Amino acid sequence: MFEGSDESTRTASENDGSTAPRAGMESDPAAVVTRVDADRQPVWLDDGDGRPTESQHSHRLESKIIDTESKADRLAVAGDVDSSLVETFLDETDFDTETVYVQNVMVEECFRLTLCQVSWTTNSVSTDYGRVSRPYDEPCTAGNKVYAVWFIRIPDTVNADDISSYSSSIGGSACDSQRVDAEGEGGGGSASDSDRRTQTGGEQA
């Protein structure tokens, strides 16, 4: 499988009729994250072609829907990713009622991301992150970018074949309540719309 190494506040709208699509939003989802300094995405679905060769400088947003145990078994990680953390998270997911959303996000090394929320419909998934500076005593190189790989548990069954778009908003400050972040800490504050930029990924690979 691998090559190496909450309670929450939720607002959701469900499909009450035959024409309205099911949608939901989780403001504090169960999630784990790892930061990796690599030249290509450190987490991928193994289809027998090996690790993808995309450059980290392409600024692409890499997102995947893990909606079955068999697909979870195909998830591969690079040697510098904590595979035991990922395995445990996947093992604790009930794929009959839950889905794991995997997102490779680029972040400047001197910053960290805080997961503010994840939302979904029958054909799209969106994440909202806050961005804050890392502590001054943690060494980093200005301008260098690393991967923040998020594994987010959606408390709903999302069909990967139905998802046609992914998007991610990254704000210029932390979320306005405690969230899981890249160092396992939380943050306070809020981000205005003017401080946000949006990355958009294509259809599921």
Side-chain angles (χ1 to χ4, degrees):
M1 174 178 175
F2 293 106
E3 292 193 277
S5 180
D6 312 323
E7 294 184 26
S8 63
T9 301
R10 180 173 64 179
T11 301
S13 60
E14 297 285 288
N15 183 7
D16 295 325
S18 58
T19 59
R22 182 172 61 186
M25 185 274 287
E26 181 73 45
S27 62
D28 191 11
V32 294
V33 61
T34 182
R35 288 171 66 103
V36 183
D37 188 359
D39 61 355
R40 49 185 170 160
Q41 57 176 303
V43 176
W44 67 98
L45 281 176
D46 188 359
D47 293 318
D49 298 327
R51 186 176 177 182
T53 57
E54 293 93 341
S55 168
Q56 70 166 337
H57 301 295
S58 63
H59 304 292
R60 292 184 62 193
L61 181 68
E62 300 289 346
S63 304
K64 299 171 180 64
I65 297 291
I66 310 300
D67 55 356
T68 63
E69 290 184 21
S70 61
K71 185 175 288 187
D73 289 339
R74 289 169 45 211
L75 201 64
V77 302
D80 42 5
V81 173
D82 186 349
S83 62
S84 62
L85 179 72
V86 177
E87 281 189 285
T88 298
F89 188 78
L90 293 174
D91 288 344
E92 292 176 348
T93 301
D94 181 358
F95 287 101
D96 290 333
T97 59
E98 299 171 321
T99 307
V100 173
Y101 184 47
V102 181
Q103 197 163 51
N104 290 277
V105 186
M106 298 302 300
V107 59
E108 292 184 38
E109 187 179 14
C110 294
F111 294 87
R112 66 185 185 189
L113 296 181
T114 301
L115 177 60
C116 303
Q117 68 178 33
V118 59
S119 58
W120 63 95
T121 68
T122 54
N123 61 8
S124 66
V125 179
S126 178
T127 48
D128 187 18
Y129 297 98
R131 189 186 70 159
V132 296
S133 298
R134 295 176 65 187
Y136 72 91
D137 57 349
E138 292 185 6
C140 65
T141 301
N144 189 39
K145 292 192 174 183
V146 299
Y147 282 98
V149 186
W150 291 85
F151 298 81
I152 306 166
R153 186 176 295 133
I154 296 175
D156 200 353
T157 52
V158 177
N159 189 334
D161 293 335
D162 293 337
I163 301 300
S164 59
S165 67
Y166 310 96
S167 64
S168 185
S169 172
I170 302 179
S173 59
C175 305
D176 47 341
S177 61
Q178 291 283 21
R179 298 289 185 270
V180 180
D181 65 25
E183 279 72 36
E185 302 166 356
S190 61
S192 65
D193 290 340
S194 61
D195 289 333
R196 296 199 169 274
R197 63 179 185 273
T198 300
Q199 302 178 27
T200 302
E203 295 186 0
Q204 179 180 351

